[in-house]
Amino acid sequence: MKHCIACGKLLPEQSLFELTSAPASAQDIPDAKEVQQDEGVTLHLRQCGGCGLVQFDCEPVSYYRDVIRAGGGSSTMRELRTSQYRHLIETYHLEGKTFFEAGCGRGEFLKFLQEFPVEIYGMEHKADLVETAQAEGLHVWREFPEREDQRFGHSPEASMLQESGWSVPEKPFDVFLSFNFLEHQPRPDVMLKAIWNNLAEDGMGLVTVPSLEYILEKESYYELIRDHIAYYTFDTLRALLNHCGFEVLEEEMINRDTLSMVVRKTAMPETDADVSAAGSVQSGTPSGATIIAPLTEGYKIVTGEVRALTDRLVREGKRLAMWGASHQGFTLASTSELGEHLAYIIDSAPFKQGRFAPASHVPIVAPDHYFEDPVDAVLIVAPGYTDEIAGIIKTKFGEKVETMTLRTNRIEHL
Ligand SMILES: [Zn+2]
């Protein structure tokens, strides 16, 4: 029996949704040698009866402490983060305050904060990302919140910073930032309580996570990936934040698919208080099985769509490729028949090329591979970049390539 990662209550025995042949990881993309050992895993999604959090009951991926961001520097992200920062600083008069990001990667989002009159710090676990951030002049040090009582900036790596002419402030931070990091955490409560302990009285925070509501609305079961151990909704994220001593001042959906909350530090609730007081599944809220029904339905519809497409292409003697070595593409390829029918997966990221999709083992190639080994149809699975990629296909490969995308539960022609 497993316990809830957020409130510690025993998880129900019954799994709400089972994903078989799923990739074991979205980031460990096997090379030619590793692919021989790689195999899919079965993931069970369960809902806590105490706090309501939907979660996988498996071990987290080995690299959950690291913040690996693809496309973090895109203009869409720049605009989004800048408008969030502006709103936060202007609304709550945070000029001159000390901000820190817990899990800042190479500082992609901290850079956008530099145009505001605030002090900027960041913590990151992955050493090479810390180095890159420091080389760009950002005040980033290597640390991860492992314990609630951890005092940030006192790790050996942080102490060494004094030589480089700056150090982590002695006084508590005023504002914390956490961008799509909590959903990777096997102990989100420990992380948030550690942050709480390093914040000033009346300290504030901005937290974002992918939205389960969005996945359910689109019936996009292929968004599920082991890297994301938890699937938050407005209710369950708010309950967790309250449980960890934060009051939610604002909450909204941003960028279509992401929950965003502005919080303020309050008194920490009594420890071991009745779990239900920390935000139980309210009466009247549908039970887990009902909540998750769109995943089962989405799985049926999406795998049916994939089968209809691949059957038709086989009949017509045509070849298919997918564009997007994304976690959605990986899950889709290995949990439907798609993987067996793909000639290859196209991706523009050089570090993915020459490797293989986890679980489905479809080779990943550069866009120019098309000219050596053309296909008749391309299915784009790269949320947020669909239109841009469709444009590239039309100009580079020509109009005769059948271009499609999957961004809901249906395959659309573009
Ligand atoms: Zn729970």
Side-chain angles (χ1 to χ4, degrees), residues 292-303:
I292 298 303
L295 287 180
T296 313
E297 189 61 18
Y299 178 78
K300 226 187 296 171
I301 294 171
V302 170
T303 53

Side-chain angles (χ1 to χ4, degrees), residues 104-175:
C104 68
R106 51 174 73 86
E108 292 92 337
F109 300 149
L110 286 179
K111 271 189 241 168
F112 305 150
L113 192 52
Q114 287 175 315
E115 64 178 88
F116 296 94
V118 297
E119 277 185 60
I120 305 167
Y121 297 90
M123 257 165 63
E124 167 58 43
H125 175 262
K126 197 167 194 287
D128 62 313
L129 300 179
V130 174
E131 261 176 56
T132 309
Q134 289 177 346
E136 299 205 21
L138 289 164
H139 292 174
V140 170
W141 75 98
R142 181 159 191 253
E143 187 166 359
F144 178 84
E146 302 281 359
R147 302 182 328 270
E148 288 178 24
D149 63 357
Q150 193 165 321
R151 199 164 156 220
F152 296 166
H154 286 71
S155 65
E157 283 91 348
S159 328
M160 275 158 49
L161 294 173
Q162 274 148 1
E163 293 163 32
S164 62
W166 66 276
S167 55
V168 182
E170 279 302 313
K171 64 183 174 68
F173 295 96
D174 297 306
V175 185

Side-chain angles (χ1 to χ4, degrees), residues 4 7 48 51:
C4 173
C7 76
C48 174
C51 71

